Amino acid sequence: MATLYDVPAEDLIEAVAEELQAADPIEAPEWLEYTTTGTGKELAPEQDDFWERRAGSLLRKVAVDGPVGVGTLATAYGGTKQGSNRYQVRPNQQADGSRNIVRTALQQLEDAGYVLTAEGEGRRITADGRALLDEVAEDVLEDLDDPALERYA
């Protein structure tokens, strides 16, 4: 049986996003088209399925790193800002991602039963969330034609 560690993260996140969109446990909030994904960004996300992808990515990250808090996840989804250009030369600075996007997606995953809040520790994955990730990983592994991954099948 394949687990979430046995498949590439990008393929797993894409498949989990499709699964979340089909099962419909989460939906993008109305304010998403007007917000940015972090303080270092100027525009709203352009992907049609951004919310499902972010929720799938958060589910995987909580499973791998959990228990984990919103602040740590916001830092992980951040980037850099105000780097070098023609007139200003200084090192890039860390810019956190949007805590509201992370928190709202985690709350929706919690309502769906995939994540739970551990008091004083942060969020951790439930048995249903782990089962969803492992089932999707099994399907992804069957679809991949990578000879290096055949040993997990």
Side-chain angles (χ1 to χ4, degrees), residues 37-58:
T37 59
T39 57
K41 302 290 184 181
E42 293 182 4
L43 299 174
E46 296 180 356
Q47 293 175 323
D48 293 334
D49 61 344
F50 167 79
W51 192 255
E52 289 81 11
R53 283 180 182 263
R54 182 58 59 98
S57 177
L58 281 168

